[in-house]
């Protein structure tokens, strides 16, 4: 996240074990404390991956640069309505671009591709989480 004087990457630990609402609340707290420069070092050091969301600024797509020591960063672009073909018919759908940058010294690109496939599947079928 951007703060006066540069960027900082607060860490959500064990995100895979948390609900989206818990992650959202934790991120809001970390963001607030980051802006007031009250984060502890363990709250911004030691992460493995990051998410960069320029979509909230209307940016369609971009490639994010990995911030060491992270191994990956997910660049999330803005969702926008586009014409798409589904079952031979033109439909309107909200589409967004997501780009994963990986440091191949730490993460095999094929694993990164598997992550993107899983991410895509969850976005297209969020109820699949309940199955």
């Amino acid at each position: 996240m951007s703060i006066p004087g540069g960027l900082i990457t607060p860490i959500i630990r064990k995100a895979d074990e948390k609900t989206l609402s818990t992650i959202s609340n934790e991120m809001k707290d970390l963001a607030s404390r980051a802006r007031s420069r009250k984060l502890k070092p363990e709250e911004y050091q030691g992460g493995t991956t990051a998410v960069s969301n320029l979509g909230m600024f209307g940016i369609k797509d971009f490639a994010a640069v990995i911030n060491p020591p992270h191994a990956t960063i997910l660049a999330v672009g803005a969702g926008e309505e586009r014409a798409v073909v589904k079952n031979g018919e033109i439909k309107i759908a909200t589409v967004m671009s997501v780009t994963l940058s990986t440091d191949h010294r730490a993460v095999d690109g094929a694993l990164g591709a598997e992550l993107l496939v899983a991410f895509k599947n969850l976005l297209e079928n969020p109820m699949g989480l309940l199955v």
Side-chain angles (χ1 to χ4, degrees), residues 89-102:
E89 295 182 21
I90 297 175
K91 303 275 186 177
I92 301 296
T94 301
V95 178
M96 68 181 215
S97 294
V98 177
T99 304
L100 180 70
S101 299
T102 62

Side-chain angles (χ1 to χ4, degrees), residues 16-95:
D16 61 318
E17 299 173 8
K18 298 176 180 176
T19 65
L20 286 177
S21 61
T22 299
I23 292 169
S24 176
N25 289 334
E26 193 173 326
M27 193 65 230
K28 288 174 188 171
D29 173 59
L30 289 167
S32 173
R33 291 188 296 113
R35 282 187 211 94
S36 62
R37 299 188 183 274
K38 294 187 178 177
L39 287 181
K40 299 173 190 166
E42 62 268 18
E43 293 177 311
Y44 60 86
Q45 294 176 348
T48 57
T49 192
V51 176
S52 182
N53 178 9
L54 293 183
M56 61 193 224
F57 298 110
I59 305 301
K60 181 178 168 183
D61 57 46
F62 66 104
V65 176
I66 300 168
N67 301 308
H70 296 157
T72 66
I73 188 165
L74 187 68
V76 179
E80 62 182 12
E81 287 188 340
R82 296 185 200 162
V84 297
V85 178
K86 286 188 179 182
N87 299 321
E89 295 182 21
I90 297 175
K91 303 275 186 177
I92 301 296
T94 301
V95 178

Side-chain angles (χ1 to χ4, degrees), residues 121-122 124-131:
N121 289 339
L122 286 173
E124 291 176 348
N125 184 18
M127 297 308 288
L129 287 172
L130 301 176
V131 176

